[in-house]
């Protein structure tokens, strides 16, 4: 398995005015992140609006990222949901040869018990041809995958190698870090807790804002991992307002405004999401204008 420590980013899916996938914009975003020293790319995560993409569109997104990346960075593919058997079939039948790991969100809406979550990922583990990164995001799934469940999965299944933890509770994150088996990665799933997670002993982040500020964000993460916390926090404090702003009206509406500002993509999202309000756009643009490169 390639190293998934450091700064990963959950790529958006840019759209054209006619609503179709903007392939050229996606290529530019991939190149922008490679040049910005991001460590790996996550394709078709929830930030990609994957639940509103057709199967054909998903294949187009995968092919586009693979071709634009040309093997430069490790690739992680999002394969998750609340229908366990459908996911098992997808894992068994998909061509995942271009990918290094799978990111799989804890089942949403069904609100399974901890045992149900465990059995769900046990089934995926047995079907998966690739290492699995668990994804805990209680604010979206309606259930919290507790540290004891994560640790149990990590100890039982060798191909469950990491967790993207977006519980928003640093006490839970610290418990997870302290109890995980050796070699199991704890990755932040919230930009605002990325550096605190690393300082607590975690291994990195799968970020949203990082794809729009790859140079600054990756610098923050790498300095944090190297123990240079003062330098790392100087980046964190510079970006923290943006970390909050981009989520004010839903993800990925905010980060798409960042890409509009950068001239890489337009800010369109698909229903039921709506494009960021003019008031929020103005605040995000003001934030981006304030971002001056911090000397290395």
């Amino acid at each position: 398995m390639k190293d998934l420590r450091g700064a990963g980013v959950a790529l958006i899916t840019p759209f054209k005015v006619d609503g179709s996938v903007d392939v050229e914009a996606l290529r530019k975003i991939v190149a922008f992140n490679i040049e910005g020293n991001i460590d790996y790319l996550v394709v078709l995560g929830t930030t990609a609006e994957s639940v509103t993409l057709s199967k054909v569109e998903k294949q187009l997104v995968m092919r586009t990222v693979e071709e634009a990346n040309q093997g430069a960075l490790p690739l992680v593919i999002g394969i998750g949901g609340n229908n366990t058997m459908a996911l098992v079939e997808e894992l068994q039948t998909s061509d995942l040869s271009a990918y290094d790991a799978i990111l799989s969100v804890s089942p949403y809406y069904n609100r399974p018990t901890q045992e149900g979550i465990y059995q769900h990922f046990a089934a995926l583990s047995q079907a998966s041809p690739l290492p699995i990164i668990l994804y805990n995001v209680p604010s979206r799934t309606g259930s919290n995958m507790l540290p004891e469940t994560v640790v149990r999965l990590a100890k039982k299944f060798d191909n469950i190698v990491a967790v993207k933890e977006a519980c928003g509770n640093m006490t839970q994150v610290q418990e997870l870090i302290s109890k995980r088996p050796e070699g199991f990665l704890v990755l932040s799933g919230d930009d605002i807790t990325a550096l605190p997670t690393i300082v607590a002993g975690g291994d990195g982040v799968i970020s949203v804002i990082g794809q729009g500020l790859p140079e600054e964000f990756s610098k923050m993460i790498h300095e944090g991992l190297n123990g240079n916390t003062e330098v790392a926090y100087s980046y964190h404090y510079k970006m923290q307002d943006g970390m909050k702003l981009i989520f004010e009206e839903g993800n990925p509406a905010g980060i798409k405004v960042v890409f509009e500002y950068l001239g890489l993509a337009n800010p369109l999202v698909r229903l039921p999401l709506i494009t960021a309000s003019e008031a929020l756009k103005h605040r995000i643009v003001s934030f981006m204008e304030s971002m001056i490169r911090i000397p290395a």
Side-chain angles (χ1 to χ4, degrees):
M1 183 189 79
K2 291 187 180 178
D3 191 1
L4 297 175
R5 296 176 82 243
V9 295
L11 294 170
I12 66 159
T13 302
F15 298 119
K16 297 179 182 178
V17 175
D18 67 4
S20 62
V21 174
D22 191 337
V23 169
E24 188 56 37
L26 184 53
R27 289 195 187 106
K28 290 178 181 177
I29 290 167
V30 171
F32 182 62
N33 279 272
I34 293 171
E35 292 163 8
N37 207 27
I38 289 297
D39 295 305
Y40 59 95
L41 306 175
V42 178
V43 184
L44 295 178
T46 48
T47 299
E49 298 175 79
S50 52
V51 294
T52 64
L53 298 177
S54 68
K55 288 185 179 180
V56 171
E57 288 173 326
K58 288 181 179 180
Q59 291 297 319
L60 176 61
V61 167
M62 291 170 68
R63 188 166 63 249
T64 299
V65 174
E66 292 162 20
E67 292 172 353
N69 184 54
Q70 293 186 328
L73 300 180
L75 297 179
V76 175
I77 182 73
I79 299 178
N82 59 357
N83 182 338
T84 308
M85 291 304 101
L87 293 175
V88 165
E89 183 179 1
E90 185 174 355
L91 288 169
Q92 292 173 335
T93 59
S94 299
D95 178 9
L96 303 175
S97 56
Y99 294 86
D100 298 283
I102 287 157
L103 176 65
S104 194
V105 68
S106 185
Y108 45 80
Y109 191 79
N110 311 54
R111 300 183 68 185
T113 63
Q114 295 301 304
E115 184 63 25
I117 293 171
Y118 176 86
Q119 294 297 342
H120 170 84
F121 282 116
L124 299 193
S125 170
Q126 292 163 24
S128 178
L130 294 175
I132 294 173
I133 304 170
L134 309 173
Y135 181 15
N136 184 40
V137 56
S139 64
R140 289 178 177 263
T141 63
S143 63
N144 185 13
M145 181 165 51
L146 297 175
E148 61 200 49
T149 302
V150 175
V151 170
R152 183 182 171 201
L153 285 163
K155 288 181 175 179
K156 177 67 175 180
F157 301 101
D158 290 342
N159 65 342
I160 295 181
V161 299
V163 62
K164 176 184 177 183
E165 181 55 81
C167 65
N169 180 344
M170 282 305 299
T171 300
Q172 180 169 320
V173 172
Q174 290 167 335
E175 181 183 349
L176 186 54
I177 290 169
S178 69
K179 293 181 177 179
R180 64 179 169 172
E182 184 177 356
F184 184 80
L185 304 182
V186 176
L187 309 170
S188 173
D190 292 312
D191 290 332
I192 203 73
T193 64
L195 186 55
T197 296
I198 289 169
V199 172
D203 303 283
V205 61
I206 294 176
S207 171
V208 175
I209 202 171
Q211 64 193 302
L213 295 167
E215 186 176 328
E216 295 87 349
F217 195 86
S218 63
K219 184 74 171 176
M220 177 189 79
I221 297 300
H222 297 153
E223 292 289 356
L225 287 169
N226 289 332
N228 301 321
T229 54
E230 186 175 347
V231 175
Y233 266 108
S234 71
Y235 284 92
H236 172 88
Y237 293 135
K238 189 75 174 176
M239 291 184 285
Q240 68 178 355
D241 286 347
M243 294 175 186
K244 298 173 185 175
L245 281 171
I246 63 168
F247 293 104
E248 275 196 13
E249 295 180 3
N251 184 39
I255 188 63
K256 286 193 169 184
V257 175
V258 172
F259 282 121
E260 182 184 37
Y261 173 84
L262 294 169
L264 294 176
N266 71 50
L268 298 177
V269 293
R270 281 187 175 172
L271 289 170
L273 300 178
I274 59 172
T275 305
S277 67
E278 288 303 316
L280 180 58
K281 283 184 182 181
H282 177 76
R283 293 165 65 207
I284 292 174
V285 167
S286 295
F287 162 75
M288 290 299 291
E289 289 174 343
S290 76
M291 285 299 300
I292 300 170
R293 304 276 183 216
I294 304 171

